[in-house]
Amino acid sequence: MPGLRLPHSTPHLCVSWQPPNESSLQDQAESLARVLGCPCISVEQRTMELALIYTCQGLELQESAPAGGKTHSRLHVDFNSAQLRYRLRHGGGIRQPLARAIGIKPGHRPTIADATAGLGIDGFIFAALGCQVTLIERSPVLAALLSDGLSRLRHDPQSSDISQRLSLHCGNALDLLGQLPERPETIYLDPMYPKQEKAALNKQEMRLIRTLVGDDHDAGHLLDRALTIACERVVVKRPKRAGELTSTRPSHAIHMKNSRYDVYLIRSSNGA
């Protein structure tokens, strides 16, 4: 995948595999290490705190104590998890706040660029609801996890139709949004929450993601850029009591218990 190389600011990272006698996992680990430009070492020799590890269940990021100590936290993209499947069945379909925010209506499924893809959960929901979705993730580590999750999704007969509506790009959305073959109808932004705010991910997952991507200080610039590219609307997810991302006022907001969606309509003829 183009752009899948570690920037100098990325914390020390290696790629490994488990169990150590699985040659196919070792091959995948060595291939990813070459692409990322980081060392590939066996799990027994690991000394770095962060490691991308190929397992029989897929690729996961593990954070351990120095010198190969106890694993503190891990990230793994699993689009077939019980939690995500439950959300698909009971999340409210096209009537849920997220679907209304991005412009899904009966008979209309907008094309979407998720410019802050993260672990891909919202993008997967968009695709499951019938939208064509472009995922953009600037962290090469998160993009590698996403790529692995999408690969496993494509091999699941029950989800292959959803996977066909998802594509992934690694790089800075400020640049990539203007390079897409077609302008998306909706651009979705879910920048990092301020540290004191609650988020859907657990604290360990959020801390690990923040280690990789930082605090999204350029989120305001990304909104300004998105507003020049989206055909219909830009949607920004914000904490419930947080201020708007920039001085540009949204057309309206959709409120939930702990968060809200600020909706910026590009054409006034488009309803909420």
Side-chain angles (χ1 to χ4, degrees), residues 8 10 24 31-32 43 48 88 92 95 115 121 126 130 147 152 160 164 184 189 193 195 220 253 267 270:
H8 294 302
T10 301
S24 62
S31 176
L32 178 59
V43 71
M48 297 180 178
L88 284 182
R95 294 183 296 276
I121 295 173
F126 302 152
S147 180
R152 283 181 279 109
S160 59
Q164 291 172 8
L189 308 178
Y193 277 17
K195 291 183 180 180
R267 295 199 300 262
N270 291 324

Side-chain angles (χ1 to χ4, degrees), residues 130-205:
C131 299
Q132 197 71 35
V133 183
T134 300
L135 301 170
I136 301 176
E137 176 49 54
R138 65 180 174 183
S139 164
V141 176
L142 291 180
L145 293 170
L146 275 172
S147 180
D148 179 74
L150 288 172
S151 178
R152 283 181 279 109
L153 187 70
R154 293 187 188 103
H155 288 88
D156 179 1
Q158 295 182 339
S159 304
S160 59
D161 59 328
I162 299 177
S163 69
Q164 291 172 8
R165 293 192 288 271
L166 286 160
S167 63
L168 173 63
H169 299 264
C170 179
N172 192 329
L174 285 168
D175 301 321
L176 292 180
L177 283 174
Q179 300 172 14
L180 298 176
E182 296 181 2
R183 291 171 58 195
E185 292 169 299
T186 296
I187 296 177
Y188 178 73
L189 308 178
D190 183 8
M192 265 295 187
Y193 277 17
K195 291 183 180 180
Q196 69 272 19
E197 299 288 350
K198 294 181 179 180
L201 296 175
N202 67 48
K203 291 182 180 180
Q204 289 183 334
E205 288 177 330

Side-chain angles (χ1 to χ4, degrees), residues 77-149:
V77 173
D78 182 8
F79 294 119
N80 285 313
S81 69
Q83 181 181 8
L84 195 48
R85 292 297 168 172
Y86 180 88
R87 181 175 172 183
L88 284 182
R89 291 193 301 270
H90 305 285
I94 67 172
R95 294 183 296 276
Q96 63 182 288
L98 179 59
R100 290 189 287 117
I102 63 171
I104 289 179
K105 301 174 184 177
H108 179 58
R109 298 295 187 271
T111 57
I112 300 172
D114 182 347
T116 52
L119 296 178
I121 295 173
D122 288 336
F124 175 79
I125 296 296
F126 302 152
L129 292 174
C131 299
Q132 197 71 35
V133 183
T134 300
L135 301 170
I136 301 176
E137 176 49 54
R138 65 180 174 183
S139 164
V141 176
L142 291 180
L145 293 170
L146 275 172
S147 180
D148 179 74

